[in-house]
């Protein structure tokens, strides 16, 4: 597909970081401190961490380290990220995009836990979708499709009838593995070949068709 497209769906599944919320400043601060503590190159670490739960990133960056240590480290990292909302802002168009989804089937599907997702959405001034699939809800991190499949199930919509909005390689891979159309948002997305790429959410218009279908004008 080109960058200009009309998509149809019965539900939308929305990533948070990089898709609805620009939290890059906080992510960079917390993860670069972690990289320094472990003697890792910060630039290389930042290539891995977007879209994944922290423990999954750590398993890739520190292969062979017991997962128990990754889980414990991840809990500390989540607390640090939750406390650090300086510079967390909405992606352009996100408030209007979410407002246009009121009354339509949609869910947040994020690798953040409840405290972190709540803090970042609040810092960005965004309303939380009623249906939320967070880190506590799944047993496997993106790029595993579990989160998106669970979001579809909670909305009562077949995976093939869902459109995913994502920014990261791990998230785009998860949406694709779930059998869903993926709209990539922002500069990170283009390198991972989603079905459609937009600069930000100002480039998306939502239209309720009336038969339970949502029409998306993207581009």
């Amino acid at each position: 597909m080109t960058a200009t497209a009309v998509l149809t769906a019965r539900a939308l599944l929305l990533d948070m970081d990089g898709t609805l919320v620009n939290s890059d400043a906080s992510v960079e601060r917390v993860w670069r401190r972690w990289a320094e503590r472990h003697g890792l190159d910060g630039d290389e670490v930042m290539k891995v961490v977007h879209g994944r739960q922290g423990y999954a990133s750590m398993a890739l960056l520190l292969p062979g380290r017991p997962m128990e240590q990754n889980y414990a480290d991840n809990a500390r990292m989540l607390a640090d990220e939750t406390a650090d909302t300086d510079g967390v802002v909405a992606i352009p168009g996100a408030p209007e995009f979410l407002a246009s989804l009121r009354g339509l089937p949609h869910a947040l599907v994020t690798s953040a836990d409840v405290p972190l997702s709540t803090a970042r959405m609040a810092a960005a001034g965004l309303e939380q979708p009623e249906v939320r699939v967070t880190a506590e809800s799944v047993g496997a991190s993106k790029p595993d499709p579990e989160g998106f499949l669970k979001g579809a199930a909670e909305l009562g919509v077949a995976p093939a009838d869902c459109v995913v909005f994502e920014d990261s390689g791990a998230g785009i891979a998860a949406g694709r593995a779930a059998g869903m159309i993926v709209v990539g948002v922002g500069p990170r997305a283009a390198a991972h070949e989603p079905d459609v790429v937009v600069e930000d959410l100002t480039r998306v218009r939502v239209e309720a068709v009336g038969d339970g279908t949502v029409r998306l004008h993207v581009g």
Side-chain angles (χ1 to χ4, degrees):
M1 294 182 184
T2 66
T4 301
V6 177
L7 308 175
T8 58
R10 292 192 174 274
L12 307 186
L13 303 177
L14 316 174
D15 174 52
M16 181 183 71
D17 292 303
T19 302
L20 298 173
V21 173
N22 183 344
S23 56
D24 283 1
S26 173
V27 173
E28 289 262 349
R29 285 191 293 269
V30 171
W31 276 99
R32 285 186 182 275
R33 286 198 299 268
W34 182 88
E36 186 175 358
R37 287 197 299 271
H38 293 279
L40 299 175
D41 181 271
D43 291 340
E44 294 304 311
V45 167
M46 295 313 302
K47 293 177 183 177
V48 171
V49 300
H50 291 292
R52 292 180 172 85
Q53 291 192 44
Y55 73 84
S57 297
M58 293 170 191
L60 291 173
L61 292 162
L62 296 173
R65 186 167 85 150
M67 282 303 296
E68 291 77 9
Q69 292 184 31
N70 294 336
Y71 289 130
D73 219 359
N74 184 50
R76 290 188 290 269
M77 292 283 285
L78 285 168
D80 289 345
E81 289 185 287
T82 300
D84 183 357
T85 57
D86 187 29
V88 174
V89 296
I91 293 292
E96 297 81 3
F97 176 64
L98 287 171
S100 72
L101 296 181
R102 290 180 190 140
L104 301 176
H106 67 288
L108 188 72
V109 181
T110 175
S111 293
D113 63 3
V114 169
L116 179 57
S117 60
T118 301
R120 284 187 174 161
M121 291 289 279
L126 298 176
E127 59 185 274
Q128 290 264 21
E130 289 186 13
V131 177
R132 297 183 288 276
V133 179
T134 60
E136 299 94 336
S137 308
V138 297
S141 170
K142 298 171 185 177
D144 190 283
E146 181 185 357
F148 287 125
L149 293 173
K150 184 161 189 176
E154 292 198 13
L155 293 170
V157 175
D161 292 327
C162 296
V163 170
V164 166
F165 284 75
E166 264 286 359
D167 74 300
S168 70
I172 290 167
R176 189 178 293 119
M180 302 172 181
I181 291 175
V182 182
V183 176
V185 180
R188 271 193 297 269
H192 304 288
E193 300 183 349
D195 296 291
V196 182
V197 183
V198 291
E199 180 180 353
D200 57 42
L201 294 171
T202 66
R203 308 298 301 172
V204 181
R205 182 168 62 87
V206 178
E207 178 188 1
V209 176
D211 62 352
T213 301
V214 179
R215 186 175 293 137
L216 301 171
H217 301 265
V218 183

